[in-house]
């Protein structure tokens, strides 16, 4: 019997730059990198357009006085959220059925249009009330585009991030989505502050501030036109007959978790963000100038960034669930403390602003960073945009409700004492943060270590078991490796997977 000497197994190391990739695949990878970058950048408008209203409200109050009523202020703020809800639901569906690129192009144009209309808003015959109603309508149009950005950008960014940096998908996703949104909040205080320091009139400040929101989506329009849908989308899109009943049966618990947690988070963060300028104005006193209010607002908004960055850095190591629950928990405990000692803290105003900033930063560290990430990865590719859109829409409903009840709640809880009412509102919001931690822990799975394709395969098995025709899958042809030209590359990739 012949015997053979066993040879030691040589370790196979893939080259840093895969030499076997075809030109088509290289182009696909470059496209994925550009998709990651430009999917999220237009979200700068979301943070900016929401945040800038805080100082624009201050301008309106100083220009129009009592004519700018609390009801009108709330109506203008909420019109964006109503538009967002419509955009999130509709474009979640569109980006799943027609493609990520189609959705991104339409939302980009809507954001540009809405921001431009807001900047040029005018009431018939100079009517102040007409101006405010025009802004309400235009902010609604803007909201549809901003809301559509959420599912389109996030679904596209998560899929591209999984191709570019699968081991650190969470960090990369957060940096191109929520970090960009938070940067928009910072710019929303910085830009009006610069105009104020330059001595611009209040009308120039608010109109120019709205107009500035046109630039982020306009700057990515060309690049989005050149983008392509991700490979995972091309492979796993459902062409027709989407089995929504089976989908709800499988994912209802996840939808309750992501939607409910998002509702609580936005109920807290948006009112306290939008009305921060008003809170600071009242705390500083009637003698405070616009520049002083803007300076404190800028400092407050800057706390968003370290919160967002730290959440991004720990998300892949600590895990999505633990990161989000920790953020909710710390935010809840700190907020209750602030609410109890609210009046005393106002007497030490710099300390109040720092604690307020840490309170908002912990929201970004946890739910702010993780909700979008979780909603973009726990659902299969075929319904990623739709499920994300519904989750985010429920969240925006929380923002709508929160901003609607914010001022009435202050009046009701304070019994005429504004500061007492604000302190009790902090306690209410903090209790919801604690409830958000409970929702996170029991209703949201942690897919930190799973590739997006794993859930796609599990989803297909589930549908097959329930009699769904899998031939409906696959929206476009996917470029593949030519195995005859690159057999070694294919073998090495399979070995590494095993």
């Amino acid at each position: 019997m012949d015997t053979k000497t066993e040879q030691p197994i040589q370790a196979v190391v893939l080259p840093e730059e895969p030499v076997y990739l075809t030109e088509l695949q290289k182009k696909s990878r470059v496209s994925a990198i550009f998709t990651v970058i430009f999917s999220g950048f237009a979200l700068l408008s979301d943070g900016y357009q929401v945040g800038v209203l805080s100082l624009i409200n201050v301008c309106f109050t100083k220009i129009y006085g009592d004519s700018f009523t609390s009801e009108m202020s709330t109506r203008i703020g909420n019109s964006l959220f109503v538009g967002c809800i419509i955009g999130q639901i509709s474009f979640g569906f569109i980006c799943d059925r027609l493609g990520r690129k189609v959705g991104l192009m339409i939302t980009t144009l809507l954001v540009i249009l809405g921001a431009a209309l807001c900047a040029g808003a005018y009431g018939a015959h100079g009517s102040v009330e007409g101006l405010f109603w025009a802004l309400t309508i235009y902010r609604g149009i803007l909201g549809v585009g901003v809301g559509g950005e959420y599912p389109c950008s996030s679904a596209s960014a998560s899929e591209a991030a999984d191709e570019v940096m699968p081991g650190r998908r969470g960090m990369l996703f957060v940096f191109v989505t929520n970090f960009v949104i938070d940067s928009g909040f910072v710019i929303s205080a910085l830009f009006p502050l610069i105009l104020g320091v330059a001595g611009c009139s209040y009308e120039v400040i608010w109109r120019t501030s709205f107009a500035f929101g046109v630039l982020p989506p306009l700057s990515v329009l060309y690049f989005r036109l050149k983008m392509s849908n991700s490979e995972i989308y091309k492979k796993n899109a459902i062409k027709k007959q989407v089995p929504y009943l089976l989908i709800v049966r499988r994912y209802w618990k996840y939808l309750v978790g992501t939607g409910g947690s998002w509702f609580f988070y936005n109920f807290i963060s948006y009112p306290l963000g939008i009305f921060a300028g008003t809170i600071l104005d009242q705390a500083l006193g009637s003698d405070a100038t616009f520049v002083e209010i803007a300076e404190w607002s800028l400092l407050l908004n800057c706390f968003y960034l370290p919160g967002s960055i730290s959440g991004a850095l720990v998300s892949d190591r600590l895990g999505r669930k633990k990161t989000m629950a920790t953020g909710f928990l710390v935010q809840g405990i700190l907020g209750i403390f602030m609410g109890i000692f609210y009046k005393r803290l106002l007497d030490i105003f710099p300390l109040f602003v720092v604690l307020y900033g840490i309170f908002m930063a912990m929201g970004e560290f946890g739910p702010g960073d993780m909700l979008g990430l979780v909603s973009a990865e726990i659902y299969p590719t075929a319904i990623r945009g739709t499920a994300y859109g519904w989750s985010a829409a429920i969240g925006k409903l929380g923002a709508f409700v929160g901003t609607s009840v914010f001022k009435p709640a202050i009046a009701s809880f304070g019994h005429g004492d504004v500061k007492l009412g604000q302190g009790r509102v902090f306690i209410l919001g903090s209790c919801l943060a604690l409830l958000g931690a409970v929702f996170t822990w029991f209703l949201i799975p942690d897919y930190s270590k799973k590739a997006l394709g794993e859930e796609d395969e599990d989803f297909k098995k589930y549908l097959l078991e329930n009699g769904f025709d899998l031939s409906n899958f696959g929206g476009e042809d996917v470029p593949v490796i030519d195995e005859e030209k690159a057999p070694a590359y294919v073998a090495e990739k399979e070995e590494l997977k095993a």
Side-chain angles (χ1 to χ4, degrees):
M1 186 170 76
D2 295 333
T3 59
K4 295 181 180 179
T5 303
E6 292 187 1
Q7 298 295 326
I9 298 174
Q10 298 293 324
V12 178
V13 180
L14 287 175
E16 292 184 7
E17 182 68 26
V19 296
Y20 304 111
L21 287 178
T22 63
E23 289 302 317
L24 184 60
Q25 289 171 302
K26 289 182 180 179
K27 183 179 179 181
S28 176
R29 179 173 175 79
V30 171
S31 176
I33 294 171
F34 275 93
T35 298
V36 170
I37 296 171
F38 295 111
S39 286
F41 188 73
L43 287 170
L44 188 75
S45 279
D46 176 45
Y48 179 83
Q49 293 291 357
V50 172
V52 79
L53 195 60
S54 176
L55 289 175
I56 286 177
N57 281 339
V58 175
C59 291
F60 287 157
T61 300
K62 292 186 179 295
I63 295 172
Y64 302 108
D66 293 339
S67 297
F68 184 58
T69 63
S70 174
E71 291 76 14
M72 187 58 73
S73 171
T74 301
R75 189 179 295 126
I76 293 174
N78 281 343
S79 63
L80 182 78
F81 299 138
V82 173
C84 278
I85 292 171
I86 295 171
Q88 285 163 341
I89 294 174
S90 59
F91 280 96
F93 174 83
I94 289 171
C95 77
D96 279 341
R97 300 300 296 273
L98 301 181
R100 314 309 193 207
K101 180 177 179 178
V102 172
L104 286 169
M105 289 302 302
I106 299 174
T107 57
T108 304
L109 295 174
L110 282 173
V111 172
I112 293 171
L113 174 64
L117 287 172
C118 287
Y122 180 76
H125 308 293
S127 166
V128 174
E129 186 175 1
L131 167 66
F132 292 147
W133 275 110
L135 280 172
T136 300
I137 295 170
Y138 299 155
R139 292 276 290 178
I141 295 171
L142 174 66
V144 174
V146 167
E149 281 286 330
Y150 274 80
C152 295
S153 293
S154 298
S156 183
S158 66
E159 291 162 2
D162 203 47
E163 292 181 34
V164 175
M165 194 181 291
R168 301 304 305 275
R169 178 181 69 226
M171 180 192 70
L172 183 57
F173 176 88
V174 171
F175 274 123
V176 299
T177 54
N178 195 56
F179 176 76
V180 173
I181 294 173
D182 290 340
S183 298
F185 271 98
V186 174
I187 296 172
S188 74
L190 176 62
F191 189 72
L193 171 60
I194 293 173
L195 296 176
V197 170
C200 297
S201 68
Y202 290 127
E203 182 167 1
V204 170
I205 291 173
W206 77 256
R207 288 190 182 277
T208 308
S209 295
F210 272 138
F212 186 81
V214 173
L215 296 182
L218 190 63
S219 66
V220 301
L221 182 61
Y222 172 79
F223 297 99
R224 286 185 168 185
L225 187 63
K226 297 295 184 180
M227 283 168 47
S228 62
N229 291 316
S230 66
E231 291 189 19
I232 195 171
Y233 172 78
K234 296 172 185 177
K235 180 181 178 181
N236 293 287
I238 297 182
K239 298 177 183 177
K240 56 185 178 180
Q241 300 176 351
V242 181
Y244 289 111
L245 185 60
L246 290 175
I247 289 167
V248 171
R249 189 184 302 169
R250 179 175 172 86
Y251 294 105
W252 69 267
K253 181 179 177 181
Y254 294 177
L255 284 168
V256 172
T258 54
S261 299
W262 220 327
F263 181 95
F264 298 138
Y265 172 64
N266 281 355
F267 187 98
I268 304 164
S269 63
Y270 275 91
L272 292 175
I274 289 176
F275 296 111
T278 303
I279 293 173
L280 294 175
D281 189 13
Q282 292 170 345
L284 288 168
S286 58
D287 295 332
T289 65
F290 176 83
V291 171
E292 289 175 329
I293 298 169
E295 287 172 342
W296 285 108
S297 295
L298 175 60
L299 174 62
L300 185 62
N301 287 357
C302 283
F303 279 92
Y304 287 124
L305 298 182
S308 179
I309 292 171
S310 57
L313 294 177
V314 305
S315 64
D316 293 306
R317 294 184 172 89
L318 185 60
R320 322 309 193 214
K321 176 184 288 193
K322 291 180 180 178
T323 303
M324 184 154 68
T326 300
F328 263 135
L329 185 63
V330 175
Q331 187 181 43
I333 294 172
L334 178 59
I336 291 173
F337 170 82
M338 290 181 65
I340 293 173
F341 298 101
Y342 192 79
K343 288 188 176 181
R344 295 182 186 178
L345 289 171
L346 288 180
D347 293 333
I348 316 172
F349 190 69
L351 176 61
F352 168 74
V353 173
V354 169
L355 290 177
Y356 198 163
I358 294 173
F359 174 84
M360 302 301 283
M362 290 311 301
E364 293 308 298
F365 169 86
D369 277 358
M370 295 301 105
L371 276 167
L373 175 58
V374 166
S375 298
E377 66 183 12
I378 66 174
Y379 302 107
T381 302
I383 60 160
R384 179 167 293 120
T386 302
Y388 189 106
W390 275 100
S391 300
I394 296 171
K396 276 296 185 287
L397 180 62
F400 176 85
V401 175
T403 53
S404 297
V405 305
F406 186 75
K407 289 188 175 181
I410 290 175
S412 177
F413 292 160
H415 305 292
D417 186 336
V418 174
K419 293 180 180 179
L420 176 62
Q422 289 175 347
R424 290 178 174 176
V425 165
F426 259 96
I427 295 175
L428 171 63
S430 300
C431 290
L432 290 178
L434 297 179
L435 188 56
V438 174
F439 264 60
T440 298
W441 196 258
F442 290 104
L443 295 176
I444 294 179
D446 195 337
Y447 281 9
S448 305
K449 304 303 180 183
K450 287 184 68 172
L452 296 184
E454 292 183 49
E455 183 59 30
D456 287 328
E457 295 307 313
D458 292 341
F459 180 55
K460 288 179 180 178
K461 291 177 183 177
Y462 164 75
L463 293 181
L464 189 61
E465 291 169 357
N466 286 273
F468 182 74
D469 184 4
L470 297 186
S471 65
N472 288 321
F473 273 88
E476 304 172 40
D477 293 332
V478 185
V480 295
I481 293 175
D482 185 342
E483 296 191 16
E484 292 183 1
K485 295 181 179 179
Y489 175 75
V490 174
E492 290 165 1
K493 290 290 286 185
E494 291 300 320
E495 183 178 342
L496 287 177
K497 285 181 181 179

